[in-house]
Amino acid sequence: MNIRNVDKSTWIYLLIAGLLCVVPFFVTGRSMQFLLIQIFVFAIFAMSYDLLLGYTGIISFGHVMFFGIGAYSTAIVLDRFEATLGAVLLSVVIALVIAGVVSLIVGVLTLRLKSHFYAMLTLALAGLFLVAAEKWTPLTGGNDGFTFRLPPFLRDSLTMYFISLAALVLLFFGLRRLTYSPFGRVLMAIRENEKRTASLGFNVVYYKVMASVVSGLVASIAGVLYILSLRFVDTSVFATEVTIDVLLMTIIGGVGTLIGPIIGAGLVEFAHHWLSGLSDVHWIFERWIILYGTIYILVVIFFPLGIVGTIRAKFFNRPVKGITQKQTEEKPESA
């Protein structure tokens, strides 16, 4: 790779990643390091959702099941086997295999039809995984969940910080490369006009299923990192609220941008942490979801392209052809 061909945005992202590498040497509190780890984890999860929603135009209401598959695979393996690096790697492989198979089956069954069938089937399967986790108590611990041991090198929050950051950076550049590739261009063509893309000779179902599989694999990695940082698993990793959270992170940051969901994850996690900490000031901060919903409504009204999409459109003359903009363009025509 010729270094002269590396664009300016790549250097900026690498600079930000370098700055994040030195942050834990100045922010030494465990609570703040844990918050940053959670931001990295949910940023990965939100990027996986953005690949579906922002680049392919597929809506999923049950994306959390891939997150939960990664979480439970890791927790069960580390609970049943000796806590070693080999067990962690085995859990990652199991998580990727299960998430890949499930996403492939769901995609093949539904993506030949309209995208809302995919949304409804993923919602139903996420509910099925939730019920299975609640009822299969000997394996999952039911609603009470269970704790598990970690290899000694993962018990240090600083190590988890760098592992989560490295995963975020690698997956960001990997997904960015994917979206810039001919494969990614076809996904965006499907998002803009599926029938026209099919008329050009592309196998639309194949591309949509592959996008679903890649998205499911990335989401399962987020689940693995999430549960390694908590050392505890329960059925909340299959909760629909998690899918809604990641959907809002993606929309607030900007769909179809990849960097937008990372910013959205940071804003939502910091807002959650900060507003919850103000619960002693006023009772309304105990119900931070009210303020969260208000912020979301304001963003949708005043920044329909999300934060990154709006900045690109206003200051860099680079409109983002995401779902939100597509809908706003279609409304006047339908009227």
Side-chain angles (χ1 to χ4, degrees), residues 150-161:
L150 285 179
F153 72 96
L154 285 179
R155 295 172 190 166
D156 182 14
S157 61
L158 191 61
T159 304
M160 275 305 304
Y161 177 93

Side-chain angles (χ1 to χ4, degrees), residues 51-319:
L51 182 65
L52 272 185
L53 179 66
Y55 286 92
T56 318
I58 301 173
I59 298 175
S60 171
F61 293 145
H63 201 56
V64 71
M65 69 177 166
F66 303 115
F67 185 79
I69 286 171
Y72 267 104
S73 299
T74 303
I76 292 172
V77 169
L78 290 177
D79 183 55
R80 299 302 174 98
F81 295 92
E82 186 176 352
T84 61
L85 175 61
V88 174
L89 295 177
L90 175 64
S91 70
V92 173
V93 172
I94 292 174
L96 291 174
V97 170
I98 297 176
V101 171
V102 171
S103 58
L104 179 64
I105 293 174
V106 173
V108 169
L109 288 177
T110 60
L111 290 175
R112 294 178 183 277
L113 309 171
K114 297 292 184 182
S115 61
H116 61 266
F117 287 99
Y118 181 88
M120 299 312 297
L121 184 58
T122 52
L123 178 62
L125 282 177
L128 184 63
F129 275 102
L130 175 60
V131 172
E134 290 175 343
K135 301 301 181 185
W136 201 352
T137 307
L139 184 67
T140 65
N143 287 320
D144 294 333
F146 63 90
T147 58
F148 55 88
R149 295 168 298 166
L150 285 179
F153 72 96
L154 285 179
R155 295 172 190 166
D156 182 14
S157 61
L158 191 61
T159 304
M160 275 305 304
Y161 177 93
F162 284 115
I163 290 176
S164 302
L165 175 60
L168 172 62
V169 173
L170 292 174
L171 288 171
F172 170 74
F173 282 109
L175 290 175
R176 188 166 178 256
R177 182 71 185 88
L178 179 71
T179 57
Y180 283 0
S181 70
F183 178 86
R185 300 298 182 189
V186 176
L187 294 185
M188 287 185 272
I190 293 172
R191 180 195 66 196
E192 297 302 322
N193 194 321
E194 185 173 330
K195 291 182 179 178
R196 184 177 299 172
T197 307
S199 69
L200 293 174
F202 293 103
N203 187 339
V204 171
V205 175
Y206 166 78
Y207 284 95
K208 291 168 73 173
V209 170
M210 287 299 103
S212 169
V213 171
V214 174
S215 177
L217 294 177
V218 176
S220 70
I221 294 174
V224 170
L225 293 171
Y226 178 73
I227 223 62
L228 287 176
S229 66
L230 287 184
R231 308 180 194 180
F232 170 78
V233 68
D234 64 6
T235 55
S236 64
V237 294
F238 284 121
T240 305
E241 290 81 359
V242 181
T243 296
I244 296 174
D245 282 349
V246 81
L247 170 64
L248 297 183
M249 290 172 187
T250 306
I251 292 177
I252 290 173
V255 294
T257 61
L258 279 184
I259 191 67
I262 298 176
I263 295 174
L267 289 176
V268 169
E269 288 299 310
F270 266 119
H272 185 190
H273 176 78
W274 181 61
L275 293 176
S276 300
L278 295 176
S279 59
D280 295 336
V281 178
H282 195 279
W283 64 267
I284 196 171
F285 293 110
E286 296 177 0
R287 305 289 183 268
W288 69 275
I289 194 69
I290 299 174
L291 299 173
Y292 181 32
T294 305
I295 294 172
Y296 171 68
I297 292 171
L298 292 175
V299 168
V300 170
I301 292 175
F302 296 105
F303 302 97
L305 299 178
I307 296 172
V308 174
T310 302
I311 291 174
R312 285 182 176 178
K314 287 187 178 298
F315 299 100
F316 300 98
N317 195 26
R318 290 172 55 190

